[in-house]
Amino acid sequence: MDGWVRVQGGRIVGVGAGAPAGADGAGARPEVVENVRGRVVVPGFVDMHVHGGAGASYQSGRLEEARRVAEFHLGAGTTTTVASLVTGTPQGLVDGVAGLADAADEGLIAGIHLEGPYLAGSRCGAHDPALLREPDRDEFARLVEAGRGHVRMITLAPELPGAVDLVRDAVRAGVVAAVGHTDAAGACVREAFDAGARVATHLFNGMRPLHHREGGPVGAALGDARVTVELINDGVHVEPEVVRLVFAAAGGRVALITDAMGAAGMGDGSYRLGPMSVTVSGGRATLEDGTSIAGSTITMAEAFRRAVEVAGIPLEDASRAASLVPARALGLDHEVGSLDVGKRADLVVLGEGRSVARVMKDGRWR
């Protein structure tokens, strides 16, 4: 069925089926008229976990790098981005957060995600184990202050001393607390959820695996209706059968993410993820010594396409997982995540094979 979206002043002012009023000359014409007949239009993608792309990284906090990353992912349909930082030194993280706050002020990103430094050494993945530390409430307060209201999420391991108290601090500061890079048992994870944690960072990856006698973080997250579960749907981190199982178990709580690092949009070769050296071969990113996967090289367009074309997720469910669910988890769903009247005019026109044909952000084609 044909449909239409009317845009004015960067906002959606009308949505409907059939031909829009005024298209035949009767009534007021929409400000933006674009013939997308025969194409599927979905809300702009919302990536709540991304480190870099186009050879650049958010880690430095430099505005020119942040602009390069954000513009690359925008071209692939990501109209809302949260910039993720891996574990770093105390001063390095403060500097990175302060720089990214400028990028948020400019509208390049929708916030900052601290993935660490309060993570379990046994599940550190591509984080430098020498820089991991126990939760420090004073350090967290300094990071929030440096972010000038733009720190939006922090991932931590709930079994660490003081972690649950820091979850409560995050909630009070308006920061989403996420559980990840953890070896915690299910009871400990549930305590963090009861304290206010609401996200499971890249489910299955960087956490104790699901066991039939101890569900761990996976079982706790899938069983808690309050919790959004992130999935890196690149065919490397999680296989299609598991993607289907997670959608069946968690339904409208699955958020597709990229966890992309600087190699996204680039070729194979050597790259950096924070202080760590990364090798990319065949699109698969691993630490130089091969001990761990080191983020991904995909875009949200590819994560969405794979959900539909490879995992067999219904297009509507995949679209929600790529847009509305992460927007809701971040507290941004009043602005983005769906094609509803009053929201920002962020949308993606799909072409052949669910590829991205055109992208609109704030009512303007990009």
Side-chain angles (χ1 to χ4, degrees):
M1 177 184 294
D2 288 341
W4 52 269
V5 177
R6 178 174 288 121
V7 175
Q8 190 169 23
R11 295 277 169 174
I12 297 172
V13 296
V15 180
D24 59 359
R29 292 181 63 82
E31 180 180 276
V32 175
V33 179
E34 183 71 20
N35 181 12
V36 293
R37 186 179 298 275
R39 299 286 181 92
V40 174
V41 179
V42 296
F45 303 136
V46 178
D47 193 352
M48 62 190 290
H49 188 155
V50 54
H51 296 276
S57 170
Y58 286 124
Q59 193 74 20
S60 70
R62 290 193 292 269
L63 192 58
E64 61 274 18
E65 283 206 63
R67 184 175 292 111
R68 193 161 140 204
V69 178
E71 290 180 353
F72 164 72
H73 285 287
L74 176 60
T78 299
T79 52
T80 301
T81 297
V82 171
S84 300
L85 299 177
V86 296
T87 297
T89 65
Q91 189 59 51
L93 284 179
V94 167
D95 292 343
V97 166
L100 289 175
D102 293 335
D105 286 341
E106 191 173 306
L108 291 173
I109 61 173
I112 303 161
H113 167 215
L114 300 168
E115 189 180 7
Y118 316 128
L119 309 176
S122 59
R123 300 288 178 183
C124 64
H127 293 254
D128 187 344
L131 296 177
L132 299 179
R133 42 201 184 267
E134 293 184 354
D136 184 328
R137 297 171 74 181
D138 290 336
E139 180 185 24
F140 174 67
R142 288 193 294 274
L143 289 166
V144 171
E145 181 179 9
R148 306 195 306 273
H150 295 301
V151 175
R152 195 163 287 277
M153 185 164 68
I154 182 170
T155 296
L156 48 73
E159 69 270 31
L160 297 179
V164 175
D165 286 334
L166 198 140
V167 167
R168 296 189 181 99
D169 287 352
V171 173
R172 281 191 290 269
V175 176
V176 177
V179 168
H181 289 281
T182 172
D183 203 32
C188 178
V189 177
R190 288 190 288 273
E191 183 182 5
F193 291 154
D194 287 340
R198 290 294 179 265
V199 172
T201 294
H202 44 52
L203 196 71
F204 297 106
N205 292 280
M207 60 179 61
R208 177 189 291 214
L210 180 69
H211 189 277
H212 61 283
R213 285 191 292 272
E214 169 51 64
V218 177
L222 290 178
D224 195 322
R226 301 170 295 182
V227 176
T228 298
V229 294
E230 295 181 346
L231 274 185
I232 310 172
N233 185 29
D234 61 349
V236 174
H237 287 79
V238 184
E239 71 162 0
E241 179 62 29
V242 176
V243 172
R244 287 190 288 272
L245 286 171
V246 172
F247 270 87
R253 297 187 287 116
V254 181
L256 296 174
I257 63 167
T258 64
D259 196 19
M261 43 81 70
M266 307 291 286
D268 290 351
S270 297
Y271 297 88
R272 304 286 294 181
L273 179 58
M276 308 298 279
S277 297
V278 175
T279 298
V280 176
S281 177
R284 179 188 176 105
T286 61
L287 291 181
E288 195 172 49
D289 61 8
T291 57
S292 175
I293 301 172
S296 88
T297 62
I298 63 167
T299 62
M300 282 294 287
E302 178 65 4
F304 169 78
R305 186 199 67 79
R306 287 186 57 87
V308 178
E309 301 288 332
V310 181
I313 305 303
L315 187 143
E316 294 83 356
D317 294 342
S319 177
R320 279 191 291 271
S323 302
L324 184 58
V325 175
R328 186 180 293 142
L330 295 167
L332 298 172
D333 54 310
H334 63 292
E335 280 283 295
V336 298
S338 60
L339 301 179
D340 291 332
V341 172
K343 291 192 179 183
R344 282 201 332 235
D346 294 352
L347 56 88
V348 175
V349 180
L350 300 179
E352 293 292 328
R354 314 298 179 192
S355 62
V356 171
R358 298 201 72 181
V359 179
M360 175 182 283
K361 180 174 171 61
D362 295 325
R364 292 187 294 127
W365 296 109
R366 303 303 177 107

